[in-house]
Amino acid sequence: MLTTAQLNFDILSALGQQGRNSKVYLVHDRQLDAQIVAKQILKTKFKSPTEFFEEAKKLYDSEHQHVVQIKYACEDANHIYLAMPYYKNGSLKNLIDPKFLTVRKIIRYATQFLSGLHNIHVKKLIHFDIKPDNILISDSDEALVSDFGLSSSMNSLGFSGVAAVYPKQIPPEYFTQSHHSMLYDIFDCGLTLYRMCNGNKQYNQQGSLYTTQADYIHAIQSGKFPDRTSYLPHIPKSLRKVINKSIEVDQSKRHQTVLEMMNDLAGINDLLDWQYSENLGTSQWELDLDDKIFSVTLTSSGSLFDINTNKTMKNSGNTTKVHALCKTGLVLKDVEKTVSQFLLAAT
Protein backbone atom coordinates (compact mmCIF):
# COMPACT_ATOMS: atom_id res chain seq x y z
CA MET A 1 0.00 0.00 0.00
CA LEU A 2 1.44 3.35 -1.07
CA THR A 3 1.12 6.15 1.46
CA THR A 4 1.78 9.77 0.50
CA ALA A 5 3.00 11.85 3.46
CA GLN A 6 3.51 15.59 3.76
CA LEU A 7 6.67 17.26 5.06
CA ASN A 8 6.99 20.95 5.82
CA PHE A 9 10.02 23.15 6.29
CA ASP A 10 10.71 26.88 6.19
CA ILE A 11 13.64 28.17 4.13
CA LEU A 12 15.78 30.38 6.38
CA SER A 13 18.68 31.31 4.09
CA ALA A 14 20.68 30.20 1.08
CA LEU A 15 24.04 28.55 1.74
CA GLY A 16 27.14 29.00 -0.39
CA GLN A 17 27.20 25.46 -1.72
CA GLN A 18 25.16 25.89 -4.87
CA GLY A 19 25.86 23.53 -7.75
CA ARG A 20 25.12 23.67 -11.44
CA ASN A 21 21.81 21.85 -10.98
CA SER A 22 20.99 22.49 -7.35
CA LYS A 23 20.59 25.03 -4.58
CA VAL A 24 21.33 24.46 -0.90
CA TYR A 25 19.35 26.06 1.92
CA LEU A 26 19.38 26.23 5.67
CA VAL A 27 15.83 25.30 6.64
CA HIS A 28 13.72 24.80 9.73
CA ASP A 29 12.08 21.39 9.70
CA ARG A 30 8.71 21.79 11.41
CA GLN A 31 8.32 18.10 12.17
CA LEU A 32 11.75 17.75 13.81
CA ASP A 33 11.75 21.34 15.13
CA ALA A 34 15.37 21.54 14.02
CA GLN A 35 17.62 23.38 11.60
CA ILE A 36 18.83 21.15 8.78
CA VAL A 37 20.20 21.57 5.27
CA ALA A 38 18.01 20.96 2.24
CA LYS A 39 19.51 20.44 -1.20
CA GLN A 40 16.94 21.48 -3.81
CA ILE A 41 17.18 20.00 -7.32
CA LEU A 42 14.87 20.80 -10.23
CA LYS A 43 13.10 17.74 -11.57
CA THR A 44 13.75 18.98 -15.11
CA LYS A 45 17.48 18.27 -14.54
CA PHE A 46 16.80 14.53 -14.54
CA LYS A 47 16.38 12.41 -17.64
CA SER A 48 13.72 10.25 -16.01
CA PRO A 49 11.64 10.17 -12.78
CA THR A 50 13.48 6.95 -11.93
CA GLU A 51 16.57 9.12 -11.30
CA PHE A 52 14.90 11.49 -8.82
CA PHE A 53 16.23 9.79 -5.70
CA GLU A 54 19.42 8.17 -7.01
CA GLU A 55 21.69 10.55 -5.08
CA ALA A 56 19.66 9.96 -1.91
CA LYS A 57 19.98 6.19 -2.31
CA LYS A 58 23.75 6.45 -2.78
CA LEU A 59 24.10 8.59 0.33
CA TYR A 60 22.00 6.15 2.31
CA ASP A 61 23.93 3.12 1.04
CA SER A 62 27.27 4.80 1.81
CA GLU A 63 26.53 5.42 5.50
CA HIS A 64 29.82 5.98 7.33
CA GLN A 65 31.12 8.23 10.11
CA HIS A 66 33.01 10.29 7.51
CA VAL A 67 30.22 10.51 4.94
CA VAL A 68 27.46 13.10 5.37
CA GLN A 69 24.30 11.49 6.68
CA ILE A 70 21.04 11.79 4.80
CA LYS A 71 18.00 12.31 7.02
CA TYR A 72 15.30 11.92 4.38
CA ALA A 73 14.42 12.71 0.76
CA CYS A 74 11.17 14.14 -0.54
CA GLU A 75 9.65 16.01 -3.46
CA ASP A 76 7.14 18.68 -4.42
CA ALA A 77 5.68 19.48 -7.83
CA ASN A 78 8.92 20.89 -9.25
CA HIS A 79 11.79 19.82 -7.03
CA ILE A 80 13.57 16.97 -5.25
CA TYR A 81 14.85 17.70 -1.73
CA LEU A 82 17.63 15.93 0.15
CA ALA A 83 17.67 16.68 3.88
CA MET A 84 21.01 16.52 5.68
CA PRO A 85 22.48 17.78 8.97
CA TYR A 86 23.56 21.40 9.23
CA TYR A 87 27.23 21.88 10.07
CA LYS A 88 28.01 25.41 11.19
CA ASN A 89 31.70 25.05 10.23
CA GLY A 90 30.80 24.75 6.57
CA SER A 91 33.19 23.13 4.11
CA LEU A 92 36.92 22.58 3.92
CA LYS A 93 36.96 25.44 1.41
CA ASN A 94 35.55 27.73 4.12
CA LEU A 95 38.52 26.80 6.32
CA ILE A 96 41.31 27.24 3.78
CA ASP A 97 40.07 30.46 2.17
CA PRO A 98 40.86 32.75 5.16
CA LYS A 99 43.81 30.90 6.74
CA PHE A 100 46.38 28.14 6.34
CA LEU A 101 46.12 24.80 8.10
CA THR A 102 48.92 23.17 10.03
CA VAL A 103 50.35 19.99 8.55
CA ARG A 104 48.85 18.03 11.46
CA LYS A 105 45.36 19.31 10.62
CA ILE A 106 45.86 18.67 6.91
CA ILE A 107 46.76 15.05 7.59
CA ARG A 108 43.94 14.58 10.11
CA TYR A 109 41.23 15.97 7.83
CA ALA A 110 42.65 14.09 4.85
CA THR A 111 42.71 10.78 6.70
CA GLN A 112 39.09 11.31 7.72
CA PHE A 113 37.63 12.14 4.31
CA LEU A 114 39.79 9.45 2.67
CA SER A 115 38.27 6.97 5.12
CA GLY A 116 34.82 8.04 3.94
CA LEU A 117 35.90 7.78 0.31
CA HIS A 118 37.30 4.28 0.88
CA ASN A 119 33.87 3.25 2.13
CA ILE A 120 32.33 4.71 -1.03
CA HIS A 121 34.74 2.75 -3.22
CA VAL A 122 34.01 -0.45 -1.28
CA LYS A 123 30.35 0.12 -2.18
CA LYS A 124 31.46 0.12 -5.84
CA LEU A 125 30.84 3.82 -6.36
CA ILE A 126 33.11 6.49 -7.84
CA HIS A 127 32.43 9.92 -6.35
CA PHE A 128 33.70 12.02 -9.31
CA ASP A 129 33.54 15.32 -7.40
CA ILE A 130 36.03 15.32 -4.52
CA LYS A 131 37.05 18.93 -3.84
CA PRO A 132 37.30 21.26 -0.80
CA ASP A 133 33.72 22.47 -1.37
CA ASN A 134 32.41 18.92 -0.96
CA ILE A 135 34.28 18.08 2.24
CA LEU A 136 32.17 19.31 5.15
CA ILE A 137 33.50 19.90 8.66
CA SER A 138 31.25 18.53 11.38
CA ASP A 139 30.49 20.21 14.70
CA SER A 140 33.03 17.83 16.26
CA ASP A 141 35.66 19.11 13.75
CA GLU A 142 35.78 16.02 11.55
CA ALA A 143 35.87 15.90 7.75
CA LEU A 144 32.93 14.32 5.91
CA VAL A 145 32.46 13.52 2.21
CA SER A 146 29.33 15.10 0.77
CA ASP A 147 27.51 15.69 -2.54
CA PHE A 148 26.91 12.50 -4.49
CA GLY A 149 25.34 14.32 -7.42
CA LEU A 150 27.99 13.08 -9.89
CA SER A 151 28.71 9.73 -8.28
CA SER A 152 28.28 6.65 -10.41
CA SER A 153 28.34 2.88 -9.96
CA MET A 154 31.34 0.93 -11.25
CA ASN A 155 30.90 -1.75 -13.89
CA SER A 156 32.32 -5.24 -13.47
CA LEU A 157 35.78 -3.93 -14.42
CA GLY A 158 35.69 -1.07 -11.92
CA PHE A 159 34.98 1.71 -14.43
CA SER A 160 32.19 4.26 -14.90
CA GLY A 161 31.37 7.27 -17.04
CA VAL A 162 31.35 10.76 -15.55
CA ALA A 163 28.43 13.08 -16.31
CA ALA A 164 30.23 16.40 -15.76
CA VAL A 165 33.52 17.83 -14.56
CA TYR A 166 34.57 20.52 -12.06
CA PRO A 167 36.74 22.88 -14.17
CA LYS A 168 39.27 23.65 -11.41
CA GLN A 169 40.06 19.99 -10.75
CA ILE A 170 40.31 17.83 -13.85
CA PRO A 171 42.31 14.60 -14.01
CA PRO A 172 44.33 14.40 -17.26
CA GLU A 173 42.63 11.15 -18.33
CA TYR A 174 39.30 13.01 -18.53
CA PHE A 175 40.36 14.28 -21.97
CA THR A 176 41.33 10.88 -23.40
CA GLN A 177 38.99 8.32 -21.74
CA SER A 178 35.23 7.96 -21.72
CA HIS A 179 35.20 5.77 -18.61
CA HIS A 180 37.21 6.08 -15.42
CA SER A 181 38.25 4.10 -12.36
CA MET A 182 38.62 5.17 -8.73
CA LEU A 183 42.01 6.62 -9.76
CA TYR A 184 39.95 9.62 -10.89
CA ASP A 185 38.92 10.20 -7.25
CA ILE A 186 42.49 9.67 -6.05
CA PHE A 187 43.72 12.41 -8.40
CA ASP A 188 41.02 14.76 -7.07
CA CYS A 189 42.04 13.89 -3.51
CA GLY A 190 45.61 14.86 -4.35
CA LEU A 191 44.49 18.20 -5.76
CA THR A 192 42.37 18.78 -2.67
CA LEU A 193 45.41 18.11 -0.46
CA TYR A 194 47.51 20.43 -2.64
CA ARG A 195 44.99 23.21 -2.07
CA MET A 196 44.93 22.47 1.67
CA CYS A 197 48.73 22.86 1.79
CA ASN A 198 49.16 25.98 -0.33
CA GLY A 199 45.81 27.74 -0.11
CA ASN A 200 43.16 28.43 -2.72
CA LYS A 201 44.67 31.79 -3.65
CA GLN A 202 47.93 30.27 -4.87
CA TYR A 203 46.10 27.44 -6.66
CA ASN A 204 43.76 29.86 -8.44
CA GLN A 205 46.65 32.15 -9.41
CA GLN A 206 48.40 29.22 -11.06
CA GLY A 207 45.25 28.32 -13.00
CA SER A 208 44.77 31.91 -14.18
CA LEU A 209 48.12 31.83 -15.99
CA TYR A 210 46.55 29.68 -18.71
CA THR A 211 44.42 32.13 -20.67
CA THR A 212 43.04 29.74 -23.29
CA GLN A 213 41.26 26.44 -22.84
CA ALA A 214 43.82 24.69 -25.01
CA ASP A 215 46.71 25.96 -22.84
CA TYR A 216 44.89 24.92 -19.68
CA ILE A 217 44.19 21.40 -20.98
CA HIS A 218 47.80 21.02 -22.13
CA ALA A 219 49.06 22.13 -18.69
CA ILE A 220 46.89 19.48 -17.03
CA GLN A 221 47.89 16.71 -19.43
CA SER A 222 51.60 17.56 -19.24
CA GLY A 223 51.60 17.78 -15.44
CA LYS A 224 52.45 21.49 -15.37
CA PHE A 225 49.26 22.43 -13.53
CA PRO A 226 49.39 22.49 -10.67
CA ASP A 227 53.11 23.12 -10.22
CA ARG A 228 54.36 20.01 -8.42
CA THR A 229 57.47 21.90 -7.24
CA SER A 230 55.61 24.83 -5.67
CA TYR A 231 54.82 24.29 -1.97
CA LEU A 232 55.03 26.53 1.06
CA PRO A 233 58.29 25.97 2.99
CA HIS A 234 56.64 24.33 6.01
CA ILE A 235 55.12 21.52 3.95
CA PRO A 236 57.43 18.55 4.59
CA LYS A 237 58.97 16.63 1.71
CA SER A 238 57.18 13.48 2.84
CA LEU A 239 53.77 15.14 2.37
CA ARG A 240 54.76 16.64 -0.97
CA LYS A 241 55.78 13.17 -2.12
CA VAL A 242 52.37 11.72 -1.19
CA ILE A 243 50.50 14.50 -2.98
CA ASN A 244 52.67 14.39 -6.10
CA LYS A 245 52.23 10.62 -6.33
CA SER A 246 48.45 10.95 -6.15
CA ILE A 247 48.42 13.50 -9.00
CA GLU A 248 50.74 11.62 -11.34
CA VAL A 249 49.66 12.03 -14.95
CA ASP A 250 50.55 8.37 -15.53
CA GLN A 251 47.78 6.51 -13.72
CA SER A 252 49.96 3.47 -13.10
CA LYS A 253 52.27 5.62 -10.94
CA ARG A 254 49.49 6.94 -8.68
CA HIS A 255 48.34 5.42 -5.43
CA GLN A 256 46.20 2.56 -6.65
CA THR A 257 43.82 2.64 -3.68
CA VAL A 258 42.70 5.17 -1.09
CA LEU A 259 44.08 2.90 1.64
CA GLU A 260 47.54 3.10 0.07
CA MET A 261 47.32 6.88 0.17
CA MET A 262 46.16 6.84 3.80
CA ASN A 263 49.05 4.58 4.79
CA ASP A 264 51.57 6.98 3.22
CA LEU A 265 50.02 9.92 5.08
CA ALA A 266 50.28 8.03 8.37
CA GLY A 267 54.08 7.96 8.09
CA ILE A 268 54.49 11.77 8.04
CA ASN A 269 55.90 13.20 11.27
CA ASP A 270 57.88 16.35 10.31
CA LEU A 271 56.87 20.01 10.71
CA LEU A 272 53.42 19.07 11.96
CA ASP A 273 52.51 22.09 14.06
CA TRP A 274 53.90 25.21 12.42
CA GLN A 275 51.13 27.78 11.90
CA TYR A 276 51.68 29.84 8.75
CA SER A 277 50.20 33.27 8.02
CA GLU A 278 50.64 36.10 5.52
CA ASN A 279 50.13 39.82 6.05
CA LEU A 280 51.07 42.68 3.73
CA GLY A 281 53.91 40.85 2.06
CA THR A 282 55.27 39.37 5.28
CA SER A 283 55.24 35.62 5.83
CA GLN A 284 55.36 34.23 9.35
CA TRP A 285 55.53 30.78 10.93
CA GLU A 286 54.80 30.19 14.62
CA LEU A 287 55.33 27.08 16.70
CA ASP A 288 53.74 26.88 20.15
CA LEU A 289 55.74 24.58 22.40
CA ASP A 290 55.21 23.79 26.10
CA ASP A 291 57.16 26.72 27.54
CA LYS A 292 58.00 28.88 24.53
CA ILE A 293 56.89 30.11 21.13
CA PHE A 294 59.19 30.15 18.12
CA SER A 295 58.45 32.53 15.26
CA VAL A 296 60.15 32.73 11.87
CA THR A 297 59.44 35.88 9.84
CA LEU A 298 60.25 36.38 6.16
CA THR A 299 60.26 39.94 4.81
CA SER A 300 61.30 41.33 1.45
CA SER A 301 63.19 44.47 0.51
CA GLY A 302 63.15 44.77 -3.25
CA SER A 303 64.42 41.50 -4.71
CA LEU A 304 66.14 40.39 -1.49
CA PHE A 305 64.68 38.63 1.55
CA ASP A 306 65.45 38.64 5.26
CA ILE A 307 64.69 35.88 7.76
CA ASN A 308 64.38 36.61 11.48
CA THR A 309 63.73 34.02 14.15
CA ASN A 310 62.55 34.85 17.68
CA LYS A 311 61.96 32.80 20.80
CA THR A 312 59.38 33.99 23.37
CA MET A 313 59.28 32.42 26.83
CA LYS A 314 55.70 32.02 27.98
CA ASN A 315 56.27 32.55 31.72
CA SER A 316 58.27 35.78 31.45
CA GLY A 317 57.11 37.03 28.07
CA ASN A 318 60.74 37.74 27.18
CA THR A 319 61.54 37.60 23.49
CA THR A 320 65.03 36.99 22.16
CA LYS A 321 66.36 36.73 18.64
CA VAL A 322 67.80 33.36 17.66
CA HIS A 323 70.77 34.75 15.76
CA ALA A 324 71.87 31.36 14.53
CA LEU A 325 68.56 31.16 12.69
CA CYS A 326 68.57 34.62 11.09
CA LYS A 327 69.75 35.55 7.62
CA THR A 328 69.68 38.66 5.42
CA GLY A 329 69.99 39.35 1.72
CA LEU A 330 68.64 36.03 0.43
CA VAL A 331 67.70 35.77 -3.24
CA LEU A 332 64.33 34.24 -4.07
CA LYS A 333 65.65 30.84 -5.21
CA ASP A 334 67.29 30.28 -1.80
CA VAL A 335 64.31 31.35 0.33
CA GLU A 336 62.29 28.12 0.50
CA LYS A 337 65.27 25.88 1.23
CA THR A 338 66.57 28.22 3.95
CA VAL A 339 63.18 28.68 5.63
CA SER A 340 62.60 24.91 5.60
CA GLN A 341 66.00 24.37 7.24
CA PHE A 342 65.21 26.97 9.91
CA LEU A 343 61.82 25.44 10.67
CA LEU A 344 63.37 22.01 11.13
CA ALA A 345 66.21 23.41 13.24
CA ALA A 346 63.86 25.33 15.53
CA THR A 347 61.98 22.15 16.42
Side-chain angles (χ1 to χ4, degrees):
M1 180 179 68
L2 175 66
T3 300
T4 301
Q6 183 175 2
L7 289 168
N8 295 287
F9 52 77
D10 303 304
I11 294 178
L12 303 178
S13 62
L15 298 177
Q17 298 167 330
Q18 320 298 34
R20 287 179 294 273
N21 299 323
S22 64
K23 296 181 179 179
V24 182
Y25 297 100
L26 175 64
V27 306
H28 176 256
D29 185 297
R30 295 187 181 186
Q31 292 75 217
L32 300 176
D33 190 23
Q35 287 188 357
I36 60 173
V37 168
K39 180 177 180 180
Q40 180 193 67
I41 312 166
L42 279 167
K43 288 183 174 180
T44 55
K45 300 298 182 181
F46 298 97
K47 296 178 181 178
S48 162
T50 60
E51 298 179 357
F52 284 171
F53 295 105
E54 280 303 306
E55 182 178 356
K57 292 173 185 175
K58 290 169 184 173
L59 269 169
Y60 182 80
D61 289 341
S62 300
E63 183 179 1
H64 185 271
Q65 62 179 336
H66 293 298
V67 175
V68 170
Q69 176 190 11
I70 185 163
K71 290 186 173 293
Y72 60 82
C74 59
E75 63 181 305
D76 62 17
N78 299 312
H79 301 95
I80 299 299
Y81 298 91
L82 309 184
M84 294 165 282
Y86 170 61
Y87 301 115
K88 62 180 182 294
N89 293 322
S91 69
L92 190 57
K93 181 179 181 295
N94 298 136
L95 288 189
I96 64 176
D97 272 343
K99 68 176 184 179
F100 295 87
L101 302 177
T102 65
V103 171
R104 188 182 298 277
K105 275 213 163 186
I106 291 169
I107 293 172
R108 187 169 73 83
Y109 286 143
T111 301
Q112 290 167 352
F113 76 71
L114 287 170
S115 174
L117 182 60
H118 171 65
N119 175 68
I120 293 166
H121 288 170
V122 168
K123 301 293 176 63
K124 301 299 181 183
L125 289 174
I126 302 174
H127 188 278
F128 282 129
D129 204 15
I130 297 293
K131 57 187 179 183
D133 315 57
N134 288 341
I135 308 298
L136 301 187
I137 307 301
S138 73
D139 294 348
S140 57
D141 195 31
E142 296 196 333
L144 314 173
V145 179
S146 72
D147 201 333
F148 282 57
L150 294 181
S151 65
S152 182
S153 298
M154 302 178 193
N155 63 20
S156 59
L157 299 177
F159 286 81
S160 182
V162 59
V165 66
Y166 173 54
K168 288 186 179 181
Q169 292 194 191
I170 309 178
E173 61 265 26
Y174 174 80
F175 303 103
T176 57
Q177 297 176 205
S178 60
H179 285 72
H180 306 278
S181 71
M182 60 188 179
L183 296 179
Y184 188 110
D185 283 348
I186 288 171
F187 188 94
D188 275 348
C189 287
L191 290 184
T192 298
L193 274 165
Y194 187 92
R195 293 169 68 178
M196 292 167 73
C197 288
N198 295 318
N200 276 326
K201 180 180 178 182
Q202 188 248 47
Y203 185 81
N204 292 334
Q205 284 174 340
Q206 284 190 44
S208 68
L209 296 176
Y210 305 101
T211 54
T212 69
Q213 186 180 49
D215 286 344
Y216 184 58
I217 292 173
H218 179 263
I220 293 170
Q221 291 183 303
S222 63
K224 292 181 179 179
F225 176 73
D227 185 348
R228 274 74 164 169
T229 66
S230 180
Y231 286 90
L232 289 169
H234 67 285
I235 303 302
K237 290 181 180 179
S238 51
L239 179 52
R240 301 179 193 203
K241 184 177 179 180
V242 174
I243 295 170
N244 288 348
K245 181 175 181 179
S246 66
I247 56 175
E248 279 277 2
V249 172
D250 183 343
Q251 296 177 69
S252 68
K253 295 181 179 178
R254 280 182 213 161
H255 299 96
Q256 297 299 295
T257 66
V258 170
L259 282 180
E260 183 186 338
M261 191 174 179
M262 291 171 67
N263 288 336
D264 282 355
L265 287 172
I268 299 170
N269 53 22
D270 293 331
L271 302 171
L272 294 177
D273 296 308
W274 283 98
Q275 181 63 64
Y276 175 68
S277 62
E278 295 177 348
N279 185 32
L280 299 176
T282 297
S283 300
Q284 185 173 63
W285 294 262
E286 282 195 351
L287 179 63
D288 192 338
L289 299 176
D290 291 337
D291 59 341
K292 55 186 170 288
I293 296 174
F294 278 110
S295 64
V296 178
T297 304
L298 177 69
T299 56
S300 62
S301 51
S303 60
L304 300 179
F305 296 82
D306 299 335
I307 299 174
N308 289 292
T309 302
N310 294 317
K311 178 176 66 176
T312 302
M313 305 307 296
K314 289 184 180 179
N315 288 339
S316 64
N318 291 334
T319 298
T320 57
K321 184 170 286 190
V322 185
H323 291 284
L325 298 178
C326 295
K327 205 156 190 175
T328 59
L330 286 171
V331 295
L332 181 60
K333 69 182 181 65
D334 294 329
V335 166
E336 181 187 338
K337 181 179 179 181
T338 305
V339 171
S340 297
Q341 290 172 342
F342 283 13
L343 297 179
L344 281 168
T347 55

